Coordinates of all heavy atoms in Angstrom, one line a residue:
A918 N 71.1 88.8 92.6 CA 70.2 87.7 92.9 C 70.9 86.4 93.0 O 71.6 86.1 92.1 CB 69.0 87.7 91.9
V919 N 70.7 85.7 94.1 CA 71.3 84.4 94.3 C 70.2 83.4 94.9 O 69.2 83.9 95.4 CB 72.5 84.5 95.3 CG1 73.6 85.3 94.7 CG2 72.1 85.0 96.6
T920 N 70.5 82.2 94.9 CA 69.6 81.2 95.5 C 70.1 80.9 96.9 O 71.2 81.2 97.3 CB 69.5 79.9 94.7 OG1 70.8 79.3 94.7 CG2 69.0 80.1 93.3
N921 N 69.3 80.3 97.7 CA 69.6 79.9 99.1 C 70.2 78.5 99.2 O 70.0 77.9 100.2 CB 68.4 80.1 100.0 CG 67.3 79.1 99.7 OD1 67.3 78.5 98.6 ND2 66.3 79.0 100.6
T922 N 71.0 78.1 98.2 CA 71.6 76.8 98.3 C 72.8 76.8 99.3 O 73.1 75.7 99.8 CB 72.2 76.4 96.9 OG1 73.1 77.4 96.5 CG2 71.1 76.2 95.9
I923 N 73.3 78.0 99.7 CA 74.3 78.1 100.7 C 73.8 79.2 101.7 O 73.4 80.3 101.2 CB 75.7 78.5 100.1 CG1 76.1 77.4 99.1 CG2 76.7 78.8 101.2 CD1 77.4 77.8 98.3
R924 N 73.9 78.9 103.0 CA 73.4 79.9 103.9 C 74.4 81.1 103.9 O 75.6 81.0 103.9 CB 73.4 79.3 105.3 CG 72.8 80.2 106.4 CD 72.8 79.6 107.8 NE 74.1 79.8 108.4 CZ 74.5 81.0 108.9 NH1 73.9 82.1 108.7 NH2 75.7 81.0 109.5
I925 N 73.8 82.3 103.9 CA 74.6 83.5 103.8 C 74.5 84.2 105.2 O 73.4 84.6 105.6 CB 74.1 84.5 102.8 CG1 74.1 83.8 101.4 CG2 74.9 85.8 102.7 CD1 73.5 84.5 100.3
P926 N 75.6 84.3 106.0 CA 75.5 84.9 107.3 C 75.1 86.3 107.2 O 75.3 87.0 106.2 CB 77.0 84.8 107.8 CG 77.6 83.7 106.9 CD 76.9 83.8 105.6
E927 N 74.5 86.8 108.3 CA 74.0 88.2 108.3 C 75.1 89.2 108.0 O 74.8 90.2 107.2 CB 73.5 88.5 109.8 CG 72.2 88.0 110.2 CD 71.0 88.8 109.6 OE1 71.1 90.0 109.5 OE2 70.0 88.1 109.3
D928 N 76.3 89.0 108.4 CA 77.3 90.0 108.2 C 77.8 90.1 106.7 O 78.5 91.0 106.4 CB 78.5 89.8 109.1 CG 79.2 88.5 108.9 OD1 78.6 87.5 108.5 OD2 80.4 88.4 109.1
R929 N 77.4 89.1 105.9 CA 77.7 89.1 104.5 C 76.6 89.5 103.6 O 76.7 89.6 102.4 CB 78.2 87.7 104.1 CG 79.5 87.4 104.8 CD 80.0 86.1 104.4 NE 81.1 85.6 105.4 CZ 81.6 84.5 105.4 NH1 81.3 83.6 104.4 NH2 82.5 84.2 106.3
Q930 N 75.4 89.8 104.2 CA 74.3 90.3 103.4 C 74.3 91.8 103.3 O 74.9 92.5 104.1 CB 73.0 89.8 104.1 CG 72.8 88.3 104.1 CD 71.5 87.9 104.7 OE1 70.6 88.6 104.7 NE2 71.6 86.6 105.3
F931 N 73.7 92.3 102.2 CA 73.7 93.7 102.0 C 72.5 94.1 101.2 O 71.8 93.2 100.7 CB 75.0 94.1 101.2 CG 75.3 93.3 100.0 CD1 74.9 93.8 98.7 CD2 75.9 92.1 100.1 CE1 75.2 93.0 97.6 CE2 76.2 91.3 99.0 CZ 75.9 91.8 97.7
E932 N 72.2 95.4 101.1 CA 70.9 95.9 100.6 C 70.7 95.4 99.1 O 69.6 95.1 98.7 CB 70.9 97.4 100.6 CG 69.5 97.9 100.3 CD 69.5 99.4 100.5 OE1 69.8 99.9 101.5 OE2 69.0 100.1 99.5
K933 N 71.7 95.4 98.3 CA 71.5 95.0 96.9 C 71.3 93.5 96.7 O 71.0 93.0 95.6 CB 72.8 95.4 96.1 CG 73.0 96.8 96.0 CD 74.3 97.0 95.2 CE 74.8 98.4 95.1 NZ 76.0 98.6 94.3
L934 N 71.5 92.7 97.7 CA 71.5 91.2 97.6 C 70.0 90.7 97.8 O 69.4 91.1 98.8 CB 72.4 90.6 98.7 CG 72.4 89.1 98.7 CD1 73.2 88.6 97.4 CD2 73.1 88.6 99.9
K935 N 69.6 90.0 96.8 CA 68.2 89.3 96.9 C 68.4 87.8 96.9 O 69.0 87.3 96.0 CB 67.4 89.7 95.7 CG 67.2 91.2 95.5 CD 66.5 91.9 96.7 CE 66.4 93.4 96.5 NZ 66.5 94.1 97.7
V936 N 68.0 87.1 98.0 CA 68.2 85.7 98.1 C 66.8 85.0 97.8 O 65.8 85.3 98.4 CB 68.6 85.3 99.5 CG1 68.8 83.8 99.6 CG2 69.9 86.1 99.9
L937 N 66.8 84.2 96.7 CA 65.7 83.5 96.3 C 65.6 82.0 96.8 O 66.6 81.3 96.7 CB 65.6 83.5 94.7 CG 65.8 84.9 94.1 CD1 65.9 84.8 92.6 CD2 64.6 85.8 94.5
S938 N 64.5 81.6 97.3 CA 64.4 80.2 97.8 C 64.2 79.2 96.7 O 63.5 79.5 95.7 CB 63.2 80.2 98.7 OG 63.0 78.8 99.2
I939 N 64.8 78.1 96.8 CA 64.6 77.0 95.9 C 63.8 75.9 96.5 O 63.6 74.8 96.0 CB 66.0 76.4 95.4 CG1 66.8 75.8 96.6 CG2 66.8 77.4 94.7 CD1 67.8 74.8 96.1
A940 N 63.1 76.2 97.6 CA 62.3 75.2 98.4 C 61.2 74.6 97.5 O 61.0 73.4 97.5 CB 61.8 75.8 99.6
G941 N 60.5 75.4 96.8 CA 59.4 74.9 95.9 C 59.9 74.0 94.8 O 59.3 72.9 94.5
L942 N 61.1 74.3 94.2 CA 61.7 73.5 93.2 C 62.1 72.1 93.8 O 61.8 71.1 93.2 CB 62.9 74.2 92.6 CG 63.6 73.4 91.5 CD1 62.7 73.2 90.3 CD2 64.8 74.2 91.0
I943 N 62.7 72.1 94.9 CA 63.1 70.9 95.6 C 61.9 70.0 95.9 O 61.9 68.8 95.7 CB 64.0 71.2 96.8 CG1 65.3 71.9 96.5 CG2 64.3 69.9 97.6 CD1 66.2 71.1 95.6

């Protein structure tokens, strides 16, 4: 699990990766 503070390109994403938004916190 990671936050979306850095954009992760499609080719670096994988099934086990969960990207959590920090938009609400900001």
Side-chain angles (χ1 to χ4, degrees):
V919 298
T920 64
N921 64 345
T922 57
I923 298 172
R924 190 181 81 71
I925 303 170
E927 284 282 324
D928 63 329
R929 296 183 195 174
Q930 295 182 27
F931 51 97
E932 189 175 309
K933 295 180 187 181
L934 183 68
K935 304 299 179 214
V936 181
L937 307 173
S938 175
I939 64 163
L942 180 62
I943 297 297

